[in-house]
């Protein structure tokens, strides 16, 4: 992983977030990939746990933010005013330099902070509630937005939803994949959808999104 950072073997991919109404994509999820010495592609879910154990989470987060903002600038220069959804490691919650990096990078390219939506997984929220709340609140003050990822997987999902200033819900794929044939899954998705709209949260199907 250290070699991948030094040799620029990391890559960002951009997966469109598409409306069920068939409208053109107005947002993309930023996906991190790494290429090994054999040229094989490794997903973030496969290498990020090891990266965090090696203390490389912060460095990777900074790399992702800087390169995502550079790519976002290219989209806007081409006339595509889109938003990027960005996953960060658990290390980001205690990274006091990240907000400054975001502000400086956006200022350099002339983009609004609202174009960035940062994702926090529900399991990270459960393990680090205070750090997550502080992190979200600090970046919200800058104008960034947040999505709660894998929502519905935890025991206290709705309690977190009530108290956290997030803008989007990415419903856990385990509920969405079988909702057409499983009445319980369908009822769970419907409940999340209804509650989310009551408190002004937008819901996104995460079953089709690669973390």
């Amino acid at each position: 992983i250290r070699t991948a950072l030094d040799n620029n073997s990391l890559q960002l991919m951009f997966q469109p977030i598409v409306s069920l109404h068939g409208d053109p994509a107005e947002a993309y999820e930023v996906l991190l990939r790494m290429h090994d010495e054999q040229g094989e592609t490794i997903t973030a879910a496969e290498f990020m746990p090891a990266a965090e154990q090696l203390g490389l989470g912060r460095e990777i987060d900074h790399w992702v933010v800087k390169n995502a903002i550079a790519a976002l600038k290219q989209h806007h220069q081409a006339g595509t005013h889109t938003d990027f959804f960005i996953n960060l490691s658990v290390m980001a919650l205690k990274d006091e330099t990240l907000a400054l990096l975001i502000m400086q990078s956006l200022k350099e390219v002339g983009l609004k902070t609202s174009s960035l939506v940062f994702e926090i997984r529900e399991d990270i929220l459960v393990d680090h509630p205070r750090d997550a709340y502080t992190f979200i609140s600090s970046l919200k003050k800058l104008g960034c937005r947040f999505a709660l990822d894998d929502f519905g997987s935890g025991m206290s999902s709705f309690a977190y939803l009530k108290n956290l200033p997030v803008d989007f819900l990415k419903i856990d794929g385990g509920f969405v994949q079988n909702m057409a044939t499983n009445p319980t899954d369908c009822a769970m998705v419907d409940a999340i959808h209804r509650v989310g709209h009551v408190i002004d949260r937008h819901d996104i199907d995460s079953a089709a999104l690669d973390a």
Side-chain angles (χ1 to χ4, degrees):
I1 300 172
R2 174 75 266 172
T3 301
L5 275 166
D6 294 338
N7 296 340
N8 200 28
S9 297
L10 296 178
Q11 178 188 12
L12 295 183
M13 301 180 69
F14 306 93
Q15 183 164 273
I17 299 175
V18 182
S19 168
L20 290 175
H21 301 293
D23 300 326
E26 296 183 353
Y28 291 82
E29 180 172 8
V30 179
L31 306 177
L32 178 62
R33 298 290 183 264
M34 182 175 72
H35 301 289
D36 63 17
E37 296 178 352
Q38 288 73 41
E40 297 292 328
T41 301
I42 307 173
T43 67
E46 294 175 292
F47 71 80
M48 277 306 296
E52 291 173 356
Q53 289 184 354
L54 293 171
L56 297 174
R58 176 180 177 276
E59 191 171 348
I60 291 176
D61 286 334
H62 284 225
W63 186 94
V64 169
V65 166
K66 288 189 289 187
N67 284 274
I69 289 176
L72 186 61
K73 177 185 177 181
Q74 294 180 346
H75 274 259
H76 283 243
Q77 287 179 331
T80 305
H81 296 281
T82 187
D83 299 328
F84 277 2
F85 282 64
I86 301 175
N87 291 281
L88 296 174
S89 77
V90 65
M91 301 298 293
L93 300 183
K94 296 184 179 181
D95 185 355
E96 298 178 354
T97 66
L98 185 60
L100 180 60
L101 171 67
I102 292 169
M103 285 298 296
Q104 289 178 337
S105 299
L106 288 171
K107 186 176 181 180
E108 289 173 1
V109 300
L111 294 176
K112 296 180 179 179
T113 52
S114 59
S115 298
L116 298 181
V117 183
F118 292 104
E119 299 186 15
I120 299 290
R121 295 198 319 270
E122 188 170 311
D123 63 324
I124 292 178
L125 180 61
V126 171
D127 293 336
H128 309 274
R130 291 187 178 181
D131 291 333
Y133 184 84
T134 300
F135 176 71
I136 292 174
S137 298
S138 64
L139 289 186
K140 288 279 287 186
K141 291 178 181 178
L142 300 180
C144 299
R145 294 180 292 168
F146 277 84
L148 186 53
D149 197 10
D150 291 338
F151 182 78
S153 59
M155 294 292 290
S156 304
S157 297
F158 285 103
Y160 293 123
L161 177 60
K162 178 181 177 180
N163 297 310
L164 278 175
V166 296
D167 304 279
F168 299 91
L169 302 178
K170 293 181 65 179
I171 303 173
D172 184 73
F175 295 122
V176 178
Q177 290 173 342
N178 299 315
M179 62 179 292
T181 56
N182 188 313
T184 301
D185 287 343
C186 184
M188 290 294 295
V189 172
D190 182 61
I192 295 171
H193 174 79
R194 290 174 181 271
V195 172
H197 277 271
V198 167
I199 58 178
D200 196 26
R201 306 289 194 271
H202 304 283
D203 51 294
I204 298 174
D205 168 12
S206 66
L209 299 180
D210 182 8

